[in-house]
Structure formats: structure tokens, C-alpha cells
Amino acid sequence: MPSIDTNDLKRYLASLEREDRYRVVDTLKSTDAERTELVYLPDSVLEADAPLRMKRGFQNLYVRKYIASASHLGSAYQRIFDQQHSEDDPLESVPHVYECYETDEHLIVVMEYLSGETLDRAVSRLGAGSDLARRLFPSICDAVASIHEQFDPPLIHRDLKPSNVIVQDSRAVLIDLGIARDFKEGSETDTLLFGTRSFSPPEQFGYKQTTVRSDVYALGMLLYFCLTGTIPSASTHDGCFPGADIPEPMRAVLMCATEFDPEKRFASARALKNAFLSACPVRPSAREAPEPSAPTANVAVPSPDGRLLAAPPLGARQNARRTLEGLFAPKPAEPERFSTLGKIWNGLLVASLFVLLLGCFSSFVNPTPQNQAMPIWHNAIGFLVVMPVLFTSTALLIADKRRIAVRFPVLRKLNWWKWIASYAALILALACILGLIRAIALR
């Protein structure tokens, strides 16, 4: 009879116990095979479960996945969980998996909720081009290389696309590994055919088994997206990656990475990264900037077999984009624990707000002699609309908003100066309304 690891058993039982204690904030994705939820643990659970709280930068928000066992998806999460909880170097290129266990019908995975923005949003916000690609693409290659190199056999993502890459400063993290699979020696094709057609290689749809070079193909398509902001199509490779802003050395890298025959592609994500860096236009230093008429150096791009693909001289860069240094906002802090002091403060604010609102209603029902001389509509707008809005917005401005941010994640995007600016705009609008109705009433 096989022995049972008591630590694994305890962890499994603790996971089952915690499952009912998670609270769902939002459903991020729902299909027949998978449901993905944004969840958090209430404060009572946080206080009672110190070991969980001490795990790798504990946070309130998590992503929880229910993957149907019948779909045969999600096997990669168990390998990631084992790797991250082993004594070896942790895997940093994917979200940290806190819990991974099976029930009769589902594989349940609870993992880190990542701040930052997806690659497609970063490209939309900053603008595609060589500068953005130089900033982001090497870290994407490193992330893919790490899941290839830290597993034996390699773990193949199979669904690399802009929405599955999270950008944190200059670091890239891969998400949604539901269809990731192991490389199987001797297998001719994949058992399950999945992926996003614009970024997936031909072999992923039945041509032959996917390998690390399949992810290299997807990386090539991601590079084209970073350079142009355009979603590639089946004819993009056949058309030699159109785009006037793509330097010829970079076009050679794109063509090599996305060859139809996997054997003709770069052998690894790191090889693609090195070729990309070699193809990047050389930036002159501030002290040694060339004269406008000075010739620029040629750039040679290494091919998979080590040959150098010659490139024409690079002219002055056109449509130069503003530098990306500092454009990526620092990683926003995750919601902190909602402290007892915060609860007391918010309770006092609610009580004070109730008293003030009651005073507004009383002032409308029992107006002063001065207000009695004003039209009733004037008093109604002033005491039942303007003043309540003013008091409520002031209370919200100075409240402890951490619990509200958990309930409404969109509020986490507002920093202090946005709150102040919004409040100032509201005060100005209310003052204008009061002045207007008073002027009309005194006519």
C-alpha cells in the first residue's frame, strides 16, 4: 500500500475547509470547461489562518479556477504548484499557485491575483513600435523560457497572446495556462487541439506535436503585435510581415520565428530573444551622438544555424516615440487588511453622516424665518439634494476605502490625487448650483 504524505493530506483538508469561506467578487470567465472567479477571504479567516497569511506576500484577492475534470485541461497547474512549493527556486514567471486539488468533478486552483495590465492594454496605452518592443519583449521571452527550462519535460504554454501576458514594470508574467501541456517524447500530434488561431502555430491544429518551438512561433507573432499594434492573420507571414516601420533585420527575425516547419524556427525562446536584441537599432549615447550625415552601423541577425543575415544600413529613425522610462506606473499595492481601527473610523463617519442628513431633513421641514421667505423648491434642492451630496462625498473622501475597493475593484485604480480632484470638481459644481438657484429665487 503506497504511503501517504501527511503534510499533503493536511494541506488538502485545509483547502477543502477554506473553499466555502472564499467570497466571490466577480466572475471573470465562464465556459463549459472552466469558471474563473475573483475571490477574497474575509478578515475572520485571515486572522485565524496565520500560516496562509505568511505565504509569499499574502494578499486578500485571489483568482480561483474551477476546471471540469472531463475537459482534461489544467494539468499544468499541478506541476506549477509542485514546483513553486518545492525547495528549488520558485517559478516567478507565472502567478503563484496557493492551492491545487481535485474533487469528483473539478480541478480547483487558487492562485495569485496580479496587478498590472495585459500586453494588449499596454500597447494600446503606450503605442506600438520598436521602443515598446525593446522594453517589453525580452522579458516576455524570459518568462516563456523559464517554463520551458524549469520543467522536465518542458511545459508548453500553447496559448500565448496579448491578453495572456501581464506587464508589471519591465517584468512579464504568463497567465491562463489551462491548455498548457508537457512535451511527450515520441508523440506525433497533440491529443487536444486548442489555441488562438492568430498566434498559434500550424502544428497546434493537428500538423504534429507541439514543442518549445511552438511557443517560439507565438512569440514571433507577439513581437509583430508589439511592433505594429496589429493582430496578425494567417497571411501575415506569407506577406513577409508588412509594415513600413519594421526594420529589415527585425523582419528577418519575425520570418525565422514563424516558419511553417518548426525545425527552421529558433530553437528556443532565448535564441529568439538574442536575435531580437541583435536586430534592435543601435542607440547612440548622449555624448557620442552621430552627425546627421554620419553613416550608421549595419546590424546582423543570427539565424537558427548560426549564419548571419546581413541587413542594410539603418537610417535615422522615423516617427521616434517618446521614451518609455518611467511610463509604467509602479505596481499598485494590493488591498491591505481591513483593520479594527478602520472599522471604528468608518462607523463614526456613518453615524455622523446620519446625524447630518437628519439635520438636512429637519431644516427642510422646519425652516428658519429666512428660509421661509424662499420658495419651497429652493429649500428642497438645497437641503434634500445639494447638502446630502456634499456630506456624503466628504465622508467617502475621508473614509477607509479598503473594504469598498474589495467590493468594487474599479476603485483601486483611483489614487489620492484623483480622489481630491474629483471632490474639488464636485464642490465647484454644487457651489454653482446653489448660486444659480439662489439667483433665480431672488428674482
Side-chain angles (χ1 to χ4, degrees):
M1 181 177 179
S3 61
I4 299 177
D5 189 320
T6 56
N7 290 331
D8 288 345
L9 180 58
K10 289 178 180 179
R11 187 165 53 203
Y12 174 72
L13 294 176
S15 298
L16 290 178
E17 182 181 356
R18 267 193 300 272
E19 182 179 352
D20 293 334
R21 292 191 281 175
Y22 284 103
R23 300 292 181 265
V24 178
V25 176
D26 193 12
T27 298
L28 305 178
K29 175 182 176 182
S30 182
T31 65
D32 292 339
E34 175 187 327
R35 184 172 80 253
T36 304
E37 302 170 336
L38 181 64
V39 300
Y40 74 97
L41 284 170
D43 290 340
S44 59
V45 179
L46 303 184
E47 294 168 359
D49 202 339
L52 180 68
R53 201 167 63 245
M54 296 181 66
K55 283 185 182 179
R56 189 174 174 265
F58 178 82
Q59 56 191 31
N60 288 37
L61 288 176
Y62 300 89
V63 172
R64 178 171 64 179
K65 287 181 175 287
Y66 285 87
I67 303 175
S69 300
S71 68
H72 303 292
L73 300 176
S75 60
Y77 288 115
Q78 185 62 56
R79 293 191 68 193
I80 293 171
F81 177 82
D82 294 338
Q83 171 73 17
Q84 290 177 334
H85 290 262
S86 68
E87 296 180 357
D88 299 331
D89 292 335
L91 189 64
E92 300 288 347
S93 58
V94 296
H96 188 78
V97 178
Y98 292 102
E99 300 176 8
C100 184
Y101 57 96
E102 291 186 71
T103 62
D104 291 339
E105 297 181 352
H106 294 95
L107 171 68
I108 301 175
V109 184
V110 179
M111 69 185 74
E112 175 185 12
Y113 171 73
L114 293 169
S115 61
E117 59 186 347
T118 55
L119 179 61
D120 49 354
R121 292 182 180 178
V123 171
S124 175
R125 179 170 66 88
L126 299 173
S130 297
D131 283 345
L132 180 134
R134 186 199 299 265
R135 167 82 177 188
L136 299 182
F137 188 68
S139 63
I140 299 174
C141 290
D142 288 339
V144 175
S146 70
I147 67 171
H148 292 169
E149 297 168 355
Q150 291 190 245
F151 292 95
D152 187 17
L155 190 63
I156 306 159
H157 192 287
R158 296 208 305 164
D159 198 17
L160 293 172
K161 56 184 178 181
S163 60
N164 282 346
V165 178
I166 297 289
V167 176
Q168 295 181 326
D169 297 327
S170 58
R171 172 190 175 217
V173 183
L174 310 177
I175 63 173
D176 203 355
L177 288 92
I179 69 170
R181 66 180 290 272
D182 305 336
F183 173 75
K184 294 180 173 61
E185 189 71 36
S187 178
E188 295 184 358
T189 61
D190 291 356
T191 304
L192 301 174
L193 308 181
F194 290 98
T196 304
R197 187 167 291 277
S198 296
F199 295 90
S200 299
E203 64 268 20
Q204 196 158 317
F205 299 96
Y207 172 57
K208 59 169 60 175
Q209 183 189 193
T210 49
T211 67
V212 295
R213 297 182 189 231
S214 303
D215 282 347
V216 167
Y217 179 100
L219 282 172
M221 292 301 190
L222 283 177
L223 174 56
Y224 178 73
F225 176 76
C226 290
L227 291 168
T228 65
T230 302
I231 299 294
S233 65
S235 61
T236 300
H237 179 275
D238 297 337
C240 298
F241 291 94
D245 293 336
I246 300 179
E248 286 304 316
M250 196 67 71
R251 201 182 310 276
V253 172
L254 291 168
M255 291 295 293
C256 184
T258 57
E259 286 284 358
F260 183 88
D261 185 354
E263 296 302 319
K264 294 182 179 180
R265 299 173 197 156
F266 296 105
S268 66
R270 295 202 186 279
L272 170 56
K273 173 188 171 182
N274 293 335
F276 164 77
L277 293 175
S278 298
C280 284
V282 178
R283 289 181 174 178
S285 65
R287 291 177 297 179
E288 300 177 358
E291 297 296 326
S293 60
T296 55
N298 289 351
V299 179
V301 181
S303 66
D305 57 6
R307 292 180 294 107
L308 294 180
L309 305 178
L314 296 174
R317 299 185 60 193
Q318 300 177 352
N319 302 323
R321 300 187 183 277
R322 58 195 177 108
T323 178
L324 296 179
E325 296 298 328
L327 284 181
F328 280 96
K331 176 180 177 181
E334 299 296 338
E336 302 173 7
R337 290 188 54 206
F338 192 59
S339 65
T340 302
L341 184 60
K343 294 178 181 178
I344 295 174
W345 173 250
N346 283 358
L348 291 174
L349 286 178
V350 171
S352 301
L353 180 61
F354 177 77
V355 172
L356 291 172
L357 294 180
L358 191 61
C360 290
F361 181 76
S362 177
S363 297
F364 173 73
V365 175
N366 301 303
T368 63
Q370 182 181 2
N371 288 329
Q372 285 180 348
M374 304 299 288
I376 189 171
W377 61 264
H378 172 275
N379 294 339
I381 294 177
F383 291 117
L384 301 183
V385 178
V386 175
M387 299 306 292
V389 169
L390 174 63
F391 293 145
T392 302
S393 59
T394 302
L396 181 60
L397 178 68
I398 62 178
D400 185 338
K401 291 177 277 292
R402 288 174 292 182
R403 174 57 57 88
I404 302 173
V406 170
R407 297 286 185 181
F408 304 99
V410 67
L411 296 180
R412 298 174 62 235
K413 299 179 181 179
L414 299 179
N415 50 29
W416 65 269
W417 66 265
K418 289 183 179 179
W419 279 102
I420 295 294
S422 300
Y423 181 75
L426 179 63
I427 294 299
L428 180 61
L430 293 177
C432 292
I433 292 173
L434 279 177
L436 179 62
I437 64 172
R438 189 168 184 82
I440 295 175
L442 293 176
R443 290 180 60 181

XYZ file of all heavy atoms in Angstrom, residues 67 71-79 100 107 109 177-180:
125
model
N -12.016 23.915 -13.022
C -11.805 23.316 -14.333
C -12.444 21.930 -14.342
O -12.113 21.081 -13.496
C -10.303 23.210 -14.652
C -9.653 24.602 -14.566
C -10.079 22.599 -16.029
C -8.149 24.595 -14.745
N -12.847 17.776 -19.023
C -12.214 18.523 -20.110
C -10.754 18.131 -20.306
O -10.157 18.453 -21.337
C -12.292 20.027 -19.819
O -11.468 20.360 -18.706
N -10.148 17.463 -19.300
C -8.739 17.048 -19.342
C -7.797 18.253 -19.492
O -6.705 18.136 -20.050
C -8.493 16.060 -20.487
C -9.367 14.842 -20.419
N -9.231 13.891 -19.434
C -10.413 14.450 -21.201
C -10.148 12.941 -19.618
N -10.875 13.263 -20.668
N -8.224 19.411 -18.994
C -7.397 20.612 -19.027
C -6.847 20.899 -17.631
O -7.312 20.337 -16.647
C -8.218 21.809 -19.511
C -8.835 21.708 -20.904
C -9.693 22.936 -21.196
C -7.758 21.555 -21.971
N -5.871 21.790 -17.583
C -5.385 22.274 -16.297
C -4.311 21.451 -15.632
O -3.905 21.762 -14.507
N -3.800 20.409 -16.289
C -2.784 19.563 -15.651
C -1.515 20.347 -15.329
O -0.768 19.989 -14.405
C -2.453 18.374 -16.552
O -1.948 18.818 -17.811
N -1.260 21.436 -16.072
C -0.051 22.219 -15.827
C -0.060 22.862 -14.444
O 1.005 23.073 -13.850
C 0.082 23.303 -16.903
N -1.237 23.173 -13.917
C -1.291 23.865 -12.622
C -0.744 22.991 -11.497
O -0.131 23.505 -10.555
C -2.724 24.291 -12.320
C -3.194 25.439 -13.180
C -4.239 25.272 -14.096
C -2.599 26.691 -13.089
C -4.673 26.318 -14.882
C -3.026 27.751 -13.878
C -4.067 27.555 -14.773
O -4.483 28.597 -15.559
N -0.956 21.683 -11.588
C -0.422 20.809 -10.549
C 1.105 20.791 -10.594
O 1.764 20.824 -9.549
C -0.964 19.384 -10.725
C -0.566 18.433 -9.613
C -1.095 18.850 -8.255
O -2.294 19.022 -8.077
N -0.204 19.020 -7.275
N 1.676 20.780 -11.798
C 3.134 20.814 -11.918
C 3.689 22.150 -11.415
O 4.738 22.179 -10.752
C 3.557 20.601 -13.371
C 3.253 19.213 -13.920
C 3.929 19.007 -15.252
N 5.393 18.942 -15.108
C 6.243 19.024 -16.118
N 5.789 19.208 -17.354
N 7.540 18.950 -15.911
N -4.128 23.748 -5.041
C -4.443 22.994 -6.255
C -4.878 21.596 -5.822
O -4.062 20.833 -5.279
C -3.230 22.941 -7.184
S -3.549 22.124 -8.766
N -11.097 20.234 -11.071
C -9.785 20.624 -10.560
C -9.937 22.063 -10.091
O -10.386 22.925 -10.853
C -8.730 20.539 -11.665
C -7.357 21.130 -11.323
C -6.660 20.295 -10.257
C -6.482 21.254 -12.571
N -8.168 25.432 -8.543
C -6.877 26.112 -8.435
C -7.116 27.499 -7.854
O -7.955 28.252 -8.356
C -6.191 26.241 -9.815
C -4.808 26.869 -9.660
C -6.104 24.890 -10.503
N -2.899 29.220 -18.076
C -2.184 28.038 -18.556
C -3.095 26.817 -18.620
O -2.638 25.684 -18.492
C -0.970 27.745 -17.667
C 0.189 28.736 -17.812
C 0.090 29.863 -16.814
C 1.525 28.042 -17.683
N -4.370 27.038 -18.827
C -5.329 25.936 -18.841
C -5.057 24.898 -19.904
O -5.310 23.706 -19.702
N -4.539 25.322 -21.075
C -4.283 24.349 -22.146
C -2.801 24.029 -22.272
O -2.390 23.352 -23.221
C -4.839 24.839 -23.497
C -4.045 26.047 -24.013
C -6.311 25.169 -23.401
C -4.394 26.415 -25.445
N -1.986 24.528 -21.336
C -0.558 24.179 -21.368
C -0.396 22.671 -21.207
O -1.187 22.001 -20.538
C 0.187 24.912 -20.254
